[in-house]
Amino acid sequence: MAYETIKYEIAEQILTITLNRPDKLNAFNAQMQRELIDAFDAADKDDNVRAIIVTGAGRGFCAGADLSSGADTFDRDARRGPVKRFADGKVDYSDPQVRDGGGQVTLRIFKCLKPVIAAVNGPAVGIGVTMQLAMDIRIASEAARFGFVFSQRGIVPEAASSWFLPRIVGISQALEWCYSGRVFPAQEALAGRLVSKVVAPDDLLPTARALAKEFCAKTAPVSVALIRQMMWRMMGADDPMEAHKVDSRGIYARGRSEDVKEGVVSFLEKRPAQFKNKVSTDMPDYFPWWTEREYK
């Protein structure tokens, strides 16, 4: 896909995805939705991509949904045409046309097999902040601002944020921000554990790249891919036995791999490991261990 709303750049095995509508503060639209999903698809297939950074062009990260359609911005029938209805006139909510576009992006990021870092360079409100919740680590510039502004627009949180946000910051903090809909500074985001670090604007991308390099330098790509999915998916498990099952499968399958033999021998020989297993071809046979949920 030829991208128009994002930039896709790989250097030193780190993919940087830049939201690229700077004249609109990188406001999110249907084309950006499609391009972001395609970019994460491409990243998962490319073994040269070991980590991903998402940032914004210009002075904003993402100002939220593009509101240029005015009052019809969130009216799906007006924007996309009428959705399916039952004979009694009630909406068929299983119609894919009903699906939230931001949620399709965060669900794709959730499934990603590479570490994802948000480098928040400026204002991030609405989908601009909820899209970050499926990313692993958020680093903010001192110029960043955040806002879960849905209550002030008469709508509700989207992008599956009612699942992600309380797990990241706790239910009380999530509700405070969502009830008020106010925009708050980077230091408040840090205090509320939405971001892990606040840095000077000029230090933002170097800090994100340094972290991404740590994820790439001495690690086995397949192990990192498994770790990402193990951690995220166990957040919804109802008993530690579920984690024990997955851990056991991982230890057994990876324990027999060439990567693990290399990891142990290189440590004993005091030399850098040369991991050869690839995410594209060498994921273990028990992966995926979950049943993929359908929209219905």
Side-chain angles (χ1 to χ4, degrees), residues 2-296:
Y3 299 132
E4 296 181 14
T5 68
I6 66 172
K7 290 192 286 187
Y8 186 103
E9 301 166 306
I10 302 172
E12 300 177 292
Q13 295 189 301
I14 300 167
L15 165 63
T16 301
I17 298 173
T18 306
L19 309 181
N20 192 33
R21 302 182 73 208
D23 56 322
K24 303 287 187 182
L25 281 179
N26 304 318
F28 182 89
N29 60 14
Q31 183 172 356
M32 183 179 286
Q33 171 197 330
R34 292 190 295 270
E35 292 183 3
L36 281 170
I37 291 171
D38 185 84
F40 278 90
D41 285 346
D44 269 354
K45 294 173 185 174
D46 187 349
D47 289 315
N48 189 44
V49 173
R50 295 288 312 280
I52 302 168
I53 296 171
V54 182
T55 193
R59 66 184 185 87
F61 181 82
C62 175
D66 188 331
L67 303 179
S68 59
S69 296
D72 288 339
T73 296
F74 298 106
D75 186 334
R76 297 297 171 79
D77 287 344
R79 296 286 305 280
R80 303 178 181 177
V83 301
K84 292 178 182 178
R85 292 181 179 269
F86 297 110
D88 61 3
K90 291 183 179 179
V91 173
D92 178 358
Y93 284 103
S94 68
D95 182 355
Q97 286 289 93
V98 175
R99 291 189 68 180
D100 162 45
Q104 293 177 64
V105 171
T106 57
L107 290 174
R108 181 60 190 86
I109 297 171
F110 177 74
K111 296 174 185 176
C112 185
L113 300 176
K114 315 293 172 75
V116 187
I117 301 167
V120 190
N121 56 300
V125 301
I127 182 60
V129 64
T130 56
M131 76 164 68
Q132 299 174 33
L133 302 179
M135 301 177 194
D136 304 312
I137 296 156
R138 289 159 294 283
I139 301 170
S141 159
E142 294 167 345
R145 298 290 183 271
F146 301 85
F148 299 90
V149 298
F150 311 101
S151 62
Q152 295 191 7
R153 303 292 179 270
I155 55 172
V156 296
E158 36 60 275
S161 56
S162 58
W163 190 91
F164 286 104
L165 185 59
R167 284 168 168 78
I168 294 170
V169 305
I171 187 66
S172 295
Q173 183 65 85
L175 288 172
E176 178 190 331
W177 283 336
C178 291
Y179 284 159
S180 69
R182 63 185 174 82
V183 176
F184 52 91
Q187 285 297 335
E188 183 173 339
L190 179 64
R193 298 187 297 179
L194 179 62
V195 303
S196 59
K197 190 175 295 185
V198 176
V199 299
D202 289 346
D203 293 334
L204 180 64
L205 282 177
T207 300
R209 289 193 66 82
L211 188 59
K213 287 178 181 178
E214 281 190 42
F215 297 162
C216 303
K218 300 178 182 180
T219 61
V222 171
S223 292
V224 170
L226 290 169
I227 289 167
R228 187 177 199 274
Q229 289 302 311
M230 289 166 72
M231 293 290 182
W232 273 112
R233 292 184 183 276
M234 284 304 110
M235 290 180 72
D238 63 353
D239 191 280
M241 178 55 77
E242 297 307 309
H244 178 56
K245 291 178 197 175
V246 175
D247 297 351
S248 299
R249 287 159 172 76
I251 293 295
Y252 177 81
R254 292 295 287 158
R256 301 171 66 244
S257 72
E258 291 302 315
D259 268 1
V260 172
K261 294 173 184 177
E262 169 64 9
V264 173
V265 171
S266 64
F267 175 78
L268 295 174
E269 294 179 352
K270 296 181 172 57
R271 60 172 176 79
Q274 300 294 321
F275 296 115
K276 295 182 180 179
N277 288 167
K278 298 179 180 180
V279 171
S280 63
T281 56
D282 299 315
M283 296 296 281
D285 59 4
Y286 72 89
F287 180 89
W289 61 86
W290 61 89
T291 300
E292 200 65 55
R293 299 289 180 89
E294 296 181 5
Y295 180 84
K296 56 183 179 179

